[in-house]
Amino acid sequence: MAKPTPLSGFPELLPEQRFVEQQVVDTLRHTFELHGFAGIETRAVEPLDQLLRKGDTSKEVYLLRRLHEESAEGHAGIGLHFDLTVPFARYVLENAGKLEFPFRRYQIQKAWRGERPQEGRFREFTQADIDIIGRDELPFHHDVEVTRVMVDALTRLDFLPGFRVQVNNRKLIQGFYAGLGIDDTDEVMRVVDKLDKVPVDKVRDLLVAEAGLDEKTADRVLSLATIRATDDSFVEDVRALGVEHELLDEGLAELAELVSACADLVTDRVRLEADLSIARGLDYYTGTVFETRLDGYESMGSICSGGRYDALATDGRSTYPGVGISLGVSRVVVPLLARTGLTASRKVPSVVLVAVVDEESRADSNAIASALRSRDIPCEVVASAQKFGKQIRYAERRGIPYVWFTNADGGHEIKDIRSGDQVAADPAAWTPPSEDLRPQVLMKETEL
RNA sequence: GUGGGUAUAGCUCAGCUGGUAGAGCGCCGCCUUGUGGUGGCGGAUGUCGCGGGUUCGAGUCCCGUUACUCACCCCA
């Protein structure tokens, strides 16, 4: 078979890279569970009608079909999910009778989109979602809660660059627009959303040309969108624009509360700010909206987004309002692996390589390995009984820090191949320093 | 879906106006007969993405194609 080439948009990692990704996933799961979120997994596929509810994204859906499909449509009427929110909404409706509300869950899974790949954008990728969903009502303090959980998680991912979490509130925007007499609020939001990439003047032109605003209104829309603050001082700035609307008041109050309630979690590495340009393209958000930028990778766009959705799920008798955030695990990890020296301290979990004197005595080496494993020390026995120099090189290639030797007289010695130190050791008692026990995430040399 | 770029050794790439395929790193062996790394010496490896065309001759020029990649769209 000819050498296979990589499939664009379907990233695969080397073991030392996968270790980094796994550390991210483990940290997220740990944090989510610390906050009492239950883990679930939904199937990879959803009926097409569920997936198509989200509008534009529908053209990105991968359909499933049997090779010998006989239905008229040529497919099975199901497709791979493109996010975890839509499957979750379906899951809640399906299991509403068995779940406790408010229901708090996390979900870390693959999703698929048929988009053209780019840096940080894939056709198959891992997302980590947290959502809280209520029956018929969900108090606003849960908006605060999911924000605090995600900020906590980002803080614990301390081997990654910093993050800037940007929050806004759709009620605030829609109230402001309504107060200005704008009809097509969705189109205006879509254009305003370009502010991070397109210069203000261009956005103003677009607001006039595409959203049909007059120049004066466009300027006021932009005045709102350029307001930013790391505390609730933005409220005064918005008031100063002189627009009045009930929804605007509601949105301002919520956003101010959210920013204030998270102030104690903010650090130099993980910041939170009210950014009134954030709107989110998706139309199901009804209140709080989030986006998150990774320091040094701002051009990649948001790596962690979400918001409040009051009407995504309904079964006719009840509605299930929710609030959630989704972190793009692949989107963060893969570009960092490619562009920086982020990697694992070794290529294998083994902290010890047990040397083999000759093939006849391999069983003795296996016994030593078993003794170490019984005390939870990851280790492996060398693949072939070559010269000891070769066996040490076997360990060195893999980054295994210790090699275990057995002398002719049956005595045991362990060598730290980084320092060259070799000391007598007891298979039943020797323990590596805790920092060596597991591979570590580290930044190899400083390129860039 | 639209527009640009690239494709040569395991990896990163060089190869001028066409003349039999190169470097660095890595890999293997020996110096080093059972303890690696540094050093010295030696060695192996290519359908030059694929198909066609022009030419005495194509990695090089032309056409097509596929893959990868970047930007737009949209988004994690």
Side-chain angles (χ1 to χ4, degrees):
Chain A
M1 192 170 98
K3 184 182 174 180
T5 56
L7 247 188
S8 178
F10 294 85
E12 291 180 327
L13 302 177
L14 294 170
E16 60 271 32
Q17 302 175 317
R18 168 62 174 169
F19 175 80
V20 176
E21 183 182 60
Q22 199 70 66
Q23 284 297 111
V24 170
V25 169
D26 289 351
T27 302
L28 292 173
R29 176 181 168 182
H30 175 69
T31 310
F32 298 159
E33 292 185 346
L34 273 179
H35 288 262
F37 284 62
I40 67 164
E41 181 171 81
T42 57
R43 64 201 184 203
V45 296
E46 295 293 331
L48 222 43
D49 55 347
Q50 283 284 335
L51 294 171
L52 298 185
R53 287 172 57 205
K54 218 171 162 181
D56 269 0
T57 27
S58 61
K59 61 186 172 218
E60 302 162 0
V61 171
Y62 277 111
L63 286 176
L64 234 64
R65 77 175 179 93
R66 289 172 53 235
L67 200 52
H68 297 291
E69 184 64 51
E70 287 170 13
S71 81
E73 297 82 16
H75 59 76
I78 55 178
L80 295 170
H81 59 233
F82 52 80
D83 70 4
L84 302 180
T85 307
V86 168
F88 175 55
R90 189 267 311 155
Y91 176 94
V92 166
L93 291 181
E94 202 170 307
N95 297 289
K98 303 167 198 156
L99 298 173
E100 307 301 331
F101 294 96
F103 177 51
R104 299 148 79 250
R105 80 89 175 81
Y106 73 91
Q107 198 172 341
I108 303 174
Q109 277 181 250
K110 286 280 171 66
W112 296 266
R113 291 184 194 179
E115 286 184 284
R116 275 284 226 289
Q118 257 173 64
E119 182 176 47
R121 304 180 43 174
F122 308 103
R123 290 174 162 171
E124 178 180 66
F125 55 96
T126 301
Q127 269 186 272
D129 280 39
I130 51 168
D131 285 87
I132 305 174
I133 201 153
R135 178 144 54 195
D136 295 322
E137 60 163 18
L138 185 72
F140 177 75
H141 66 77
H142 290 296
D143 290 41
V144 174
E145 183 180 8
V146 293
T147 312
R148 291 180 64 89
V149 175
M150 200 51 94
V151 168
D152 188 12
L154 295 177
T155 303
R156 288 169 188 267
L157 292 169
D158 54 8
F159 47 90
L160 300 182
F163 296 91
R164 189 171 90 243
V165 181
Q166 302 161 292
V167 291
N168 195 3
N169 192 297
R170 279 229 172 157
K171 292 177 188 171
L172 191 162
I173 308 173
Q174 276 165 336
F176 189 88
Y177 291 178
L180 286 174
I182 295 172
D183 299 325
D184 192 353
T185 53
D186 283 355
E187 179 65 11
V188 174
M189 276 193 273
R190 196 186 63 78
V191 174
V192 169
D193 208 37
K194 295 178 188 297
L195 266 178
D196 59 327
K197 281 191 174 180
V198 181
V200 178
D201 292 345
K202 272 274 174 57
V203 175
R204 180 183 291 111
D205 293 346
L206 287 174
L207 283 172
V208 174
E210 291 186 14
L213 303 186
D214 58 62
E215 292 194 11
K216 202 172 172 186
T217 308
D219 279 335
R220 299 184 80 183
V221 165
L222 286 172
S223 304
L224 181 77
T226 47
I227 293 174
R228 293 182 181 196
T230 54
D231 54 29
D232 59 11
S233 62
F234 66 89
V235 176
E236 286 175 37
D237 298 337
V238 175
R239 293 288 182 213
L241 297 175
V243 175
E244 298 286 337
H245 197 277
E246 196 182 332
L247 252 188
L248 172 60
D249 295 341
E250 215 177 303
L252 277 173
E254 287 188 358
L255 186 56
E257 184 180 340
L258 180 61
V259 172
S260 303
C262 294
D264 61 311
L265 294 180
V266 166
T267 63
D268 285 348
R269 228 192 103 248
V270 181
R271 287 96 58 201
L272 180 85
E273 67 177 27
D275 182 327
L276 304 203
S277 71
I278 301 299
R280 307 259 62 233
L282 302 179
D283 52 10
Y284 56 62
Y285 293 118
T286 51
T288 304
V289 285
F290 311 93
E291 292 199 356
T292 308
R293 315 267 150 182
L294 180 62
D295 290 351
Y297 295 81
E298 286 77 6
S299 64
M300 211 162 65
S302 179
I303 53 91
C304 177
S305 315
R308 173 79 178 215
Y309 44 92
D310 280 327
L312 186 61
T314 174
D315 57 14
R317 307 184 62 171
S318 298
T319 61
Y320 298 87
V323 59
I325 314 188
S326 170
L327 174 77
V329 174
S330 305
R331 183 165 222 178
V332 173
V333 171
V334 175
L336 284 174
L337 291 171
R339 275 166 60 169
T340 74
L342 193 68
T343 187
S345 55
R346 53 186 187 251
K347 295 180 178 182
V348 294
S350 306
V351 60
V352 176
L353 176 75
V354 181
V356 171
V357 176
D358 50 44
E359 288 303 330
E360 286 65 42
S361 66
R362 176 172 291 276
D364 299 340
S365 299
N366 285 338
I368 292 164
S370 293
L372 293 172
R373 288 178 194 129
S374 72
R375 293 185 294 109
D376 279 338
I377 298 170
C379 60
E380 63 188 276
V381 178
V382 75
S384 67
Q386 295 172 289
K387 291 189 204 173
F388 286 158
K390 294 278 180 60
Q391 297 193 36
I392 290 172
R393 196 160 68 170
Y394 178 103
E396 190 181 25
R397 293 275 166 81
R398 290 162 177 76
I400 301 171
Y402 296 94
V403 179
W404 192 285
F405 292 106
T406 304
N407 300 328
D409 59 10
H412 297 289
E413 289 188 357
I414 188 141
K415 180 188 186 80
D416 181 336
I417 65 171
R418 295 162 300 189
S419 63
D421 297 342
Q422 186 164 334
V423 296
D426 177 356
W430 182 85
T431 301
S434 60
E435 66 269 23
D436 284 337
L437 190 59
R438 306 279 167 193
Q440 305 288 313
V441 174
L442 53 82
M443 198 63 79
K444 199 160 72 180
E445 58 209 63
T446 44
E447 294 167 45
L448 280 181

